[in-house]
Amino acid sequence: MSPDHRSTRSLRLDLLDQQVLDGTERPVGRVDEIELEAGQDGTLAVTGFRLGGAALGRRVGGAVGHAMTGTCRRLADDEASPLLPIESLKDWSPRLTLHRALSELPEVAGLERWLGKHVVSRIPGGGDARV
Amino acid sequence: MSTSKLFSFTLGTLSAIGGFIDIGDLVADALVGARFGLRLAWVTVLAVVGIMCYAEMSGRIAAVTKRPAFDLARSRLGPRYGLVALVGAFLVTGLLVMAELSGIAFSFQLLTDISYLFWVPVAGLVVALFLWALPFEILERIYGIVGLSMLVFVVAVWQLHPDWGHLWHSATTPSPTPGETWPIYAFLGITLVGAQMTPYEMFFFSSGGVEHGWGPRSFAEMRTNVIVGFPLGGLLAIAIQAVALVVFYPAGIQVEHITQTVLPVVVALGKVGLAFAAVGIFAATFGATMETLFATGYDIAQYFGWSYGKLQPPAQAARFTAVTASLLFVSVALALTTLNPIQVTIVAVVFSAMLLPLAFLPVLLVANDHVVMGQYRNGKLSNAIGVVTLGVSCLISVAAPVLLVYTRGGSG
């Protein structure tokens, strides 16, 4: 959904729920929550966004959402779905891309990292999880 | 057109045929042919038109937006709609993985006469090894080409020397055969729709397109696959119904076992026919096992935004790899419970038919979105067929559960 030919961007269409790639174009998650801050004059500005099931669960709501958030909190080492500042986005179009590679973002996609390191890369032919 | 390009067209088309025929078709077509002959063949014709329309749309969306169909369900309709669609697709496609695996095992049983239960874990292991070791493109081509031996069903129609006038009369009589009731006729019609319009084909088709880096230039290739592949798959489906009509219907035989679906081929062509049919069933269900397995993994990965697919080493798509491996393991376990694969298949395709609107709606919406699709948005033809298909699928999703209970799964 490239917003190239439009002068404004829509939070709903261009940010929320969109796929996020890391600096090496590897998919890391989707924008599961956005954080807005009200300025002095009452205008809202996007300060950051969150990736991961804990944030998604809050939006899904109900028992299912609660279970999702709870599971992700228990699996996480520190805070589940931490806030990423909006400045960590390098590109908006054609896809949301972060400046840094996943290997430099220890707070993101913990389960992916754990499964890659402890399970999949141990099988012959599984490849290297660190790249 | 260069030779290599022509080659790639042919192979893509072959895999579209292979992708169309799976365990659902084998079961539903034989079942329908034995009870209603070709009187439901019109459903297959309409289902082929409908799925062609939606496969083309999702292929076009993938080429323009670089995103597969399921990705868009969430970003256009929100996380809750996406989650409901995801859970539905997971349950249906998950059940199908088990049924397709049993199909592979049955093809081994046909050749060795050892019970399919022995072959189920072997089939699971073969699928796991092939998926782990070979690139998807090669696998797709192998089962596409080997799957052509399913055409033995078409040859069998000729070899059985049917009364063509009788076949034509059956195909042009859209009503139940004497002694059968309208609810059962309708229920088996829905079974055919569920078997032939499978959303996983659509998701798989578009996810594959994204992985292959399709762009607007790939429209010709994508459309050739759709326009040639799906109708050939439909022809094969009608051939299976026809041989069942010729062999089973006069004898009053009901199809209760997957191995029965090949009986008409044996009657027509003997041992050689059986060999071809077994190899064809192996290729079709093997391909479908991989497709259903991957489609389920793709759906989940795309909903949560994980990396997926076979382009990167498995360790870099660890969550996707873990999910597909677990699903394969659970399917093997489920198949070993001796649950009747025919019953599981029927339940799976009927639920699949019920959930069709959930899968079609986001595709139709996005294909019409001016902002997203620009000049490549739907034309009048796509919209006309798409809207009618969506409407019919809504009716089906209301009628299917009622008929499922009322006809006791088609047996009452």
Side-chain angles (χ1 to χ4, degrees):
Chain A
M1 258 163 262
S2 94
D4 287 342
H5 55 284
R6 284 179 285 141
S7 53
T8 54
R9 288 191 186 113
S10 145
L11 282 187
R12 179 71 196 85
L13 295 181
D14 300 321
L15 187 62
L16 195 58
D17 286 319
Q18 295 304 311
Q19 178 74 53
V20 179
L21 307 176
D22 78 349
T24 64
E25 303 250 301
R26 176 176 169 189
V28 289
R30 296 177 81 139
V31 177
D32 291 310
E33 229 176 24
I34 41 183
E35 201 159 276
L36 303 169
E37 211 177 72
Q40 300 266 316
D41 54 350
T43 50
L44 294 171
V46 183
T47 51
F49 57 94
R50 294 172 194 273
L51 310 175
L56 180 63
R58 287 195 284 272
R59 281 183 60 218
V60 170
V64 176
H66 197 71
M68 211 187 260
T69 306
T71 312
C72 293
R73 278 216 189 112
R74 280 176 188 89
L75 284 174
D77 288 334
D78 304 312
E79 187 198 353
S81 306
L83 187 73
L84 297 173
I86 194 72
E87 291 78 30
S88 58
L89 274 182
K90 181 174 76 178
D91 263 327
W92 283 67
S93 120
R95 285 179 293 183
L96 301 181
T97 316
L98 300 171
H99 283 289
R100 287 184 289 170
L102 189 58
S103 50
E104 301 160 17
L105 290 163
E107 70 274 28
V108 177
L111 182 62
E112 173 86 36
R113 220 179 291 273
W114 190 90
L115 282 173
K117 189 175 159 204
H118 295 280
V119 185
V120 184
S121 65
R122 299 209 171 164
I123 308 169
D128 196 342
R130 287 168 303 172
V131 193
Chain B
M1 192 188 297
S2 69
T3 324
S4 70
K5 202 142 192 211
L6 188 71
F7 193 57
S8 142
F9 272 168
T10 325
L11 289 170
T13 306
L14 291 184
S15 36
I17 307 172
F20 186 87
I21 293 286
D22 68 348
I23 190 79
D25 285 282
L26 287 166
V27 169
D29 290 325
L31 209 74
V32 164
R35 288 179 78 164
F36 291 109
L38 289 174
R39 290 177 176 217
L40 278 164
W42 61 274
V43 173
T44 299
V45 175
L46 294 183
V48 167
V49 174
I51 193 69
M52 276 167 71
C53 173
Y54 275 94
E56 194 274 340
M57 270 190 239
S58 57
R60 185 152 36 90
I61 292 171
V64 173
T65 64
K66 314 284 178 209
R67 284 169 193 199
F70 219 89
D71 190 318
L72 295 157
R74 179 175 159 189
S75 54
R76 301 308 279 188
L77 296 166
R80 283 190 195 172
Y81 180 97
L83 192 64
V84 173
L86 175 68
V87 171
F90 179 79
L91 290 178
V92 169
T93 322
L95 277 183
L96 276 177
V97 176
M98 174 252 167
E100 309 285 358
L101 259 182
S102 308
I104 303 180
F106 272 115
S107 72
F108 291 154
Q109 178 181 341
L110 283 175
L111 293 173
T112 59
D113 217 21
I114 299 172
S115 165
Y116 82 99
L117 286 170
F118 172 81
W119 294 113
V120 163
V122 179
L125 203 64
V126 169
V127 169
L129 282 177
F130 269 58
L131 274 178
W132 188 259
L134 290 175
F136 211 89
E137 230 172 353
I138 294 182
L139 290 172
E140 210 173 18
R141 287 169 183 192
I142 294 176
Y143 74 70
I145 293 170
V146 178
L148 282 187
S149 51
M150 287 288 283
L151 288 174
V152 73
F153 279 96
V154 180
V155 178
V157 179
W158 264 267
Q159 284 301 308
L160 286 167
H161 306 294
D163 175 352
W164 293 100
H166 174 62
L167 286 190
W168 179 248
H169 175 73
S170 177
T172 50
T173 316
S175 59
T177 40
E180 296 277 9
T181 60
W182 278 97
I184 294 187
Y185 183 74
F187 178 76
L188 287 184
I190 289 174
T191 314
L192 278 186
V193 171
Q196 281 149 7
M197 298 222 282
T198 41
Y200 83 81
E201 270 167 56
M202 202 168 73
F203 293 140
F204 188 77
F205 194 64
S206 64
S207 300
V210 172
E211 276 206 63
H212 293 176
W214 278 357
R217 281 183 177 190
S218 322
F219 281 176
E221 179 182 346
M222 183 268 289
R223 286 184 176 144
T224 314
N225 292 349
V226 169
I227 291 171
V228 183
F230 285 102
L232 273 177
L235 178 74
L236 207 45
I238 291 177
I240 301 176
Q241 294 168 24
V243 292
L245 163 65
V246 176
V247 175
F248 293 139
Y249 184 73
I253 298 171
Q254 298 265 334
V255 176
E256 275 148 7
H257 205 260
I258 298 181
T259 46
Q260 278 176 296
T261 57
V262 297
L263 253 181
V265 180
V266 179
V267 171
L269 299 158
K271 263 188 192 168
V272 180
L274 174 69
F276 269 98
V279 170
I281 290 176
F282 168 75
T285 50
F286 182 76
T289 307
M290 295 194 300
E291 288 189 0
T292 44
L293 199 58
F294 266 54
T296 315
Y298 284 170
D299 289 352
I300 296 175
Q302 286 163 15
Y303 178 78
F304 290 107
W306 303 342
S307 60
Y308 64 90
K310 282 182 67 76
L311 288 187
Q312 58 272 76
Q316 287 182 44
R319 287 177 290 193
F320 170 77
T321 309
V323 164
T324 41
S326 318
L327 182 61
L328 183 60
F329 186 78
V330 171
S331 302
V332 170
L334 205 61
L336 285 174
T337 58
T338 71
L339 265 179
N340 183 347
I342 284 219
Q343 295 285 300
V344 172
T345 308
I346 290 174
V347 170
V349 296
V350 170
F351 279 113
S352 176
M354 275 161 56
L355 295 172
L356 280 175
L358 275 182
F360 286 162
L361 181 66
V363 175
L364 188 64
L365 287 181
V366 174
N368 273 296
D369 195 319
H370 178 70
V371 175
V372 179
M373 296 295 288
Q375 56 167 315
Y376 300 113
R377 70 182 181 280
N378 265 6
K380 279 184 185 149
L381 181 66
S382 291
N383 272 340
I385 302 175
V387 168
V388 171
T389 309
L390 182 65
V392 173
S393 70
C394 288
L395 287 179
I396 287 175
S397 62
V398 176
V402 179
L403 287 170
L404 179 69
V405 174
Y406 183 74
T407 64
R408 281 180 290 149
S411 57

